[in-house]
Amino acid sequence: MLTRNQRRAGPVLLRRAWARQLPQRAIYAQKPRLYSQKPRRPQEVFHSQLDDPSAAAILSSLKTSPPTPQTLTEKIVQRYSLGLPKDKTVKAGDYVTLSPHHCMTHDNSWPVALKFMSIGATQIHDKKQIVMTLDHDVQNKSEANLKKYRQIEEFAKKQGVDFYPAGRGIGHQIMVEEGYAWPGTMAVASDSHSNMYGGVGCLGTAVVRTDAASIWATGRTWWQIPPIAKVTFNGVLPDGVTGKDVIVALCGLFSKDEVLNHAIEFTGSEETMRSLRVDDRLTIANMTTEWGALTGLFPIDSVLQGWLRYKATEVAMFKDAELTDGTTHERFTHARLDELFASPMASDRGAKYAKYLHLDLSTLSPYVSGPNSVKVATPLTELAIQDIKVNKAYLVSCTNSRASDLAAAAKVFKDAAEKNDGKIPRIADGVEFYIAAASLPEQLAAEEAGDWEALLDAGAQPLPAGCGPCIGLGTGLLEPGEVGISASNRNFKGRMGSTDAKAYLASPEVVAASALSGKISGPGAYVQPEGWQGVVLGEGDGIREEDRMITADEALEKVIGQLDNIVSDAESDLFGAPVTESVNPDSMIDVLPGFPEKVTGEIVFCDADNISTDGIYPGKLTYQDDVSVDDMAKACMRNFDPSFSSIAKEGDILVPGFNFGCGSSREQAATAILAKKIPLVVAGSFGNIFSRNSINNALMGVEVPKLVQRLRECFSAPATQPKEAQQSITEPAQNWESLDSPPPAPQMIPAAEKLMTRRTGWTFEWDVRKSRVQIQEGEGGATWSQKVGELPPNVQEIIARGGLEKWVKGEIDKGS
């Protein structure tokens, strides 16, 4: 009998190319971008060590000054960064001017186009860079939606960019299957699930609409490289366990925001990575968004090469087929793959990561997420015995509705047919089962394999290739009191229908088995290994020290790293804050004329984590265009603390807790703070979308986690977690049409804290040129300082001009 991996490892059946609706023009040529690396500073040692022959032989290797090691993420960003200083090696925390290889927009293309035209742009800067798709509201046949779709198509044709109409597929799937998301490149999209491109070794991340308009008009925008987490997989996936189970388990078992606003790089041994097919990798990368990450990148390895070789062969066979005018074959070529894999891009040995996590795949079993939270993950065996009735089942979305997923679901019914005189059994009474392929080619492949027909024979209701129920649009939404199980990516309250419904996430096999039985259940393919003692996971790489084999260089690097940590700990002051370091003048950044070299003010402390954009600026005002600046200032932080307006003063420095500005993508969260005449926000960390909107609207922000910790030590009691945790969170209204991040964790405030907003008497000074902050802890209190991320001239220019839109206007004026 074939194993699960053997059954599902074969190539997807050849598509009927004549049935595709392909773009009119290819995007093949990659812009050459030069980059260089600066040498790493040699490690200083004691003279006595150099005098010791046994030590000197090893330490002499440090004098070679090797290039600064980079992660795969940093290497890709380096490649697509413009205007870097000579010998600049980018690293996590750096701001860069980014010119992505491709930028995709979907149904929000028309709002982006309106913003594009409002800033005076008339021509897209680089037509080869832009891809437009229609995928979100494809079932909506109202005149208003059809008009919007016509406007987008007409705009795309006028501009000469690649365009994919409604019904062709979900934009993220198109980016992958058509070769726009290419290994070793960077692609962005105005949608939060662009992380999916990491499944094929392409660094994918989301941008807001203003960024997309900037890329359309100038070919570039800005980006800050996030901290990078390394996730090491060990073991191999057991039969009956899928990539969906991997990411559901990661979201639920690492549920304390371990990777929030991080870039993730997945790695593992060759044997381990062979157990993760490309389709599994796409699923995992896609849902790193729900895990809280900004990217999810897999290595460029032999598994990916095999998938790409198949694609190149497939498109070559059909490039001259009747009725085919597409140019996919220009992106997928064996010659291009020869070049790619002659020297595949990979992380350098010795590259530094912000954190290290590990998961042993061999200890996983099928997992189910929910209800109504990705942070709640339960082994299927525990839920199956609870007889949880299912009303609706969904095999939809860019996460898990490729041909292989449809085949896995169909196999559940085909296997059941063997016990039913060869007849495909029907789904359980009272269950509605909806299916929609990720794209038309994936549906055609499923049809050719007989899988689509098997699902229809079982009673599945087909929907057009598109987002549909995954984002709460179209047919089959959850009604009050119903329970749904879906192979999609997000299950917050109200996401797929009523806020009074319960939504679970699972693999295609489990979704199909649940539809068949009428309750949450699996197909029975997984058998728990004898002696199994639980899922093995944690911090680090998961390799026991006694099993670790490392080279002499790695051993030396480990020792030096330990010494660095000892020295760093010894240099901390009594408060645990970094001591003032001497500033190397060569490390100072340029400050543009007119840009403030220093920003100083009194700290106003809002001690809460996860303050959402609704807490910063009320949602009921978001769509009102006539709100005055004064009224906007009065509304600032109102939903968090009604007294904020009377406590905070002009010129104050606002200091909230961690993950400030999570939630919806409203730009007014940044502009309201500016309306209050607060020039700077200093947080433990920022929500990604808020961080982007801040700079795009000329609000400055700095992350100083140590400051938040010190303020809490002096003013606050320990925080307490609300009992309902993530399950109380509701999907933001109209989330489907925006770039909203997943709903945030519940707002956390100290249990004994009575002042929501506090004037501290502390002063904060940010020296922009030195990239250093200094804190005076009140009159007569301690003074300490630390380095912070650089604010380079390219970002200063955006802020100085009043935001990204005004910067783009300036660039257009310069060009004319």
Side-chain angles (χ1 to χ4, degrees):
M1 178 178 291
L2 294 177
T3 67
R4 172 255 179 197
N5 286 331
Q6 289 171 329
R7 288 194 303 269
R8 300 184 67 183
V12 177
L13 294 175
L14 298 178
R15 279 77 165 166
R16 287 176 285 180
W18 53 266
R20 299 190 191 194
Q21 300 178 52
L22 292 171
Q24 302 171 356
R25 192 186 38 71
I27 298 179
Y28 170 67
Q30 175 183 314
K31 299 178 186 177
R33 291 174 174 81
L34 302 179
Y35 68 99
S36 59
Q37 296 178 316
K38 65 179 182 181
R40 183 171 58 184
R41 180 182 176 184
Q43 176 74 28
E44 296 177 357
V45 299
F46 295 109
H47 291 292
S48 59
Q49 291 176 305
L50 294 176
D51 292 337
D52 181 356
S54 61
I58 299 176
L59 295 170
S60 63
S61 64
L62 295 172
K63 296 182 179 181
T64 57
S65 298
T68 302
Q70 286 181 303
T71 65
L72 179 57
T73 298
E74 290 165 340
K75 285 186 174 182
I76 294 175
V77 174
Q78 181 97 40
R79 189 178 188 184
Y80 288 92
S81 296
L82 302 179
L84 293 176
K86 183 180 180 181
D87 298 329
K88 169 67 175 177
T89 301
V90 303
K91 61 184 183 303
D94 286 349
Y95 288 92
V96 296
T97 297
L98 189 70
S99 180
H101 187 46
H102 287 299
C103 173
M104 187 272 286
T105 55
H106 47 60
D107 289 31
N108 57 23
S109 295
W110 188 242
V112 174
L114 293 176
K115 188 174 287 287
F116 170 83
M117 291 182 284
S118 72
I119 58 181
T122 57
Q123 291 293 322
I124 284 179
H125 178 80
D126 182 357
K127 298 175 183 178
K128 295 181 179 180
Q129 192 180 30
I130 308 304
V131 181
M132 296 185 193
T133 66
L134 298 179
D135 59 7
H136 271 49
D137 205 11
V138 296
Q139 297 179 47
N140 185 354
K141 304 302 180 183
S142 69
E143 180 54 35
N145 192 59
L146 294 177
K147 178 182 178 181
K148 182 177 74 172
Y149 276 11
R150 286 195 302 270
Q151 289 172 321
I152 295 172
E153 183 171 7
E154 291 168 1
F155 181 84
K157 289 182 177 179
K158 178 181 179 181
Q159 294 290 336
V161 302
D162 284 6
F163 170 77
Y164 293 82
R168 171 56 179 79
I170 302 172
H172 300 308
Q173 176 65 24
I174 290 171
M175 289 289 285
V176 170
E177 71 185 22
E178 295 300 331
Y180 297 109
W182 190 256
T185 70
M186 186 167 188
V188 301
S190 57
D191 186 275
S192 60
H193 286 103
S194 8
N195 296 28
M196 181 174 127
Y197 313 151
V200 291
C202 169
L203 186 63
T205 195
V207 294
V208 296
R209 297 175 186 178
T210 302
D211 295 311
S214 174
I215 294 170
W216 286 12
T218 68
R220 61 196 190 275
T221 188
W222 67 274
W223 200 53
Q224 185 180 24
I225 307 173
I228 305 167
K230 184 177 184 179
V231 177
T232 300
F233 291 137
N234 302 305
V236 297
L237 276 183
D239 286 345
V241 182
T242 71
K244 185 58 162 279
D245 299 309
V246 173
I247 189 60
V248 167
L250 287 172
C251 289
L253 300 180
F254 289 107
S255 60
K256 307 301 182 185
D257 293 335
E258 287 89 344
V259 296
L260 180 66
N261 293 330
H262 280 62
I264 296 175
E265 292 186 12
F266 294 104
T267 188
S269 69
E270 184 177 354
E271 179 185 20
T272 294
M273 301 311 286
R274 277 202 305 267
S275 74
L276 292 171
R277 305 164 305 121
V278 167
D279 282 4
D280 286 320
R281 298 178 183 196
L282 291 170
T283 297
I284 294 169
N286 182 293
M287 279 192 64
T288 56
T289 299
E290 279 62 43
W291 198 13
L294 304 182
T295 70
L297 188 61
F298 276 84
I300 303 171
D301 61 4
S302 60
V303 174
L304 178 60
Q305 183 177 18
W307 184 86
L308 290 167
R309 291 290 182 188
Y310 174 80
K311 290 287 294 183
T313 300
E314 177 190 54
V315 298
M317 291 175 62
F318 288 119
K319 70 176 182 179
D320 296 322
E322 185 179 359
L323 301 181
T324 297
D325 62 354
T327 50
T328 312
H329 63 277
E330 295 182 11
R331 289 184 290 277
F332 285 108
T333 70
H334 287 290
R336 193 181 184 195
L337 293 177
D338 290 341
E339 181 180 355
L340 173 66
F341 288 98
S343 181
M345 194 179 292
S347 292
D348 292 326
R349 186 178 63 190
K352 301 300 181 184
Y353 294 86
K355 59 182 59 178
Y356 300 80
L357 304 174
H358 70 88
L359 174 67
D360 189 338
L361 300 182
S362 64
T363 64
L364 275 184
S365 64
Y367 264 77
V368 178
S369 171
N372 298 344
S373 172
V374 294
K375 290 193 173 185
V376 178
T378 308
L380 173 64
T381 53
E382 295 183 19
L383 290 181
I385 62 176
Q386 298 179 28
D387 291 329
I388 300 173
K389 182 181 178 181
V390 170
N391 304 103
K392 291 186 172 73
Y394 304 90
L395 185 51
V396 299
S397 86
C398 53
T399 313
N400 270 120
S401 58
R402 284 170 280 280
S404 61
D405 301 312
L406 296 165
K411 187 179 185 303
V412 172
F413 294 98
K414 291 179 179 180
D415 288 348
E418 295 179 1
K419 303 176 183 178
N420 191 41
D421 297 327
K423 183 180 179 180
I424 296 290
R426 300 283 293 182
I427 57 177
D429 292 340
V431 175
E432 298 174 22
F433 184 23
Y434 296 93
I435 61 174
S439 69
L440 184 57
E442 295 295 320
Q443 179 176 330
L444 294 173
E447 290 175 355
E448 290 176 347
D451 298 323
W452 191 261
E453 182 180 3
L455 294 171
L456 296 182
D457 289 345
Q461 301 181 45
L463 300 174
C467 300
C470 175
I471 49 171
L473 292 172
T475 302
L477 304 187
L478 289 173
E479 299 293 336
E482 288 188 333
V483 174
I485 187 165
S486 176
S488 53
N489 48 37
R490 196 171 287 177
N491 63 342
F492 303 117
K493 279 188 177 182
R495 170 74 175 184
M496 302 181 68
S498 172
T499 56
D500 293 325
K502 291 183 178 180
Y504 294 84
L505 303 178
S507 68
E509 293 94 326
V510 170
V511 169
S514 301
L516 180 60
S517 67
K519 62 182 183 179
I520 294 180
S521 58
Y526 171 76
V527 178
Q528 184 172 292
E530 187 175 347
W532 181 82
Q533 296 182 339
V535 178
V536 176
L537 77 166
E539 296 183 356
D541 59 12
I543 302 175
R544 297 183 305 175
E545 291 302 314
E546 58 266 33
D547 296 335
R548 191 182 303 279
M549 296 182 64
I550 59 177
T551 65
D553 286 345
E554 290 169 334
L556 178 60
E557 182 181 328
K558 180 178 178 181
V559 172
I560 292 172
Q562 292 171 339
L563 290 173
D564 285 343
N565 290 337
I566 293 172
V567 172
S568 177
D569 291 342
E571 289 178 340
S572 296
D573 64 11
L574 293 177
F575 301 117
V579 298
T580 303
E581 306 162 8
S582 60
V583 178
N584 180 357
D586 294 335
S587 68
M588 294 187 185
I589 64 169
D590 294 330
V591 176
L592 296 180
F595 194 88
E597 292 198 16
K598 293 182 179 181
V599 181
T600 305
E602 181 181 347
I603 292 174
V604 172
F605 187 33
C606 293
D607 187 7
D609 295 334
N610 306 311
I611 298 176
S612 71
T613 50
D614 189 64
I616 303 169
Y617 190 77
K620 65 182 181 180
L621 299 179
T622 301
Y623 298 101
Q624 295 183 22
D625 297 328
D626 58 350
V627 180
S628 68
V629 173
D630 286 342
D631 287 341
M632 183 174 282
K634 293 175 183 177
C636 180
M637 302 293 287
R638 177 190 297 164
N639 283 0
F640 167 73
D641 180 8
S643 65
F644 177 87
S645 180
S646 61
I647 295 174
K649 300 177 182 178
E650 179 180 345
D652 284 341
I653 306 298
L654 173 61
V655 180
F658 291 83
N659 198 26
F660 181 69
C662 51
S664 75
S665 59
R666 67 193 65 163
E667 294 185 344
Q668 294 95 328
T671 56
I673 295 173
L674 286 171
K676 187 63 180 170
K677 297 184 179 179
I678 293 174
L680 176 65
V681 180
V682 182
S685 62
F686 291 99
N688 177 58
I689 300 301
F690 176 83
S691 179
R692 295 207 63 81
N693 280 331
S694 294
I695 291 180
N696 286 350
N697 289 279
L699 174 66
M700 295 181 285
V702 181
E703 293 186 352
V704 187
K706 180 64 68 177
L707 175 58
V708 176
Q709 294 166 9
R710 283 294 300 136
L711 286 165
R712 285 177 172 170
E713 289 171 7
C714 294
F715 296 111
S716 306
T720 56
Q721 175 73 30
K723 291 182 179 179
E724 291 188 67
Q726 274 279 335
Q727 294 187 358
S728 65
I729 298 302
T730 301
E731 183 78 5
Q734 297 181 316
N735 196 20
W736 61 270
E737 64 178 10
S738 72
L739 252 183
D740 294 354
S741 57
Q747 185 172 292
M748 294 171 58
I749 61 174
E753 175 63 60
K754 295 183 179 180
L755 293 179
M756 301 286 284
T757 304
R758 177 191 294 272
R759 298 200 68 83
T760 63
W762 293 22
T763 57
F764 181 95
E765 179 181 271
W766 177 27
D767 190 320
V768 177
R769 184 180 296 279
K770 296 179 180 179
S771 301
R772 176 171 295 280
V773 298
Q774 179 170 298
I775 291 85
Q776 172 71 47
E777 297 186 356
E779 185 176 352
T783 300
W784 54 274
S785 69
Q786 73 174 67
K787 289 283 285 185
V788 294
E790 295 179 353
L791 190 72
N794 61 323
V795 179
Q796 294 175 34
E797 184 179 7
I798 293 172
I799 295 173
R801 289 194 186 182
L804 188 60
E805 288 188 32
K806 293 181 180 178
W807 176 85
V808 173
K809 288 182 179 179
E811 293 300 294
I812 293 173
D813 292 341
K814 285 197 301 186
S816 60

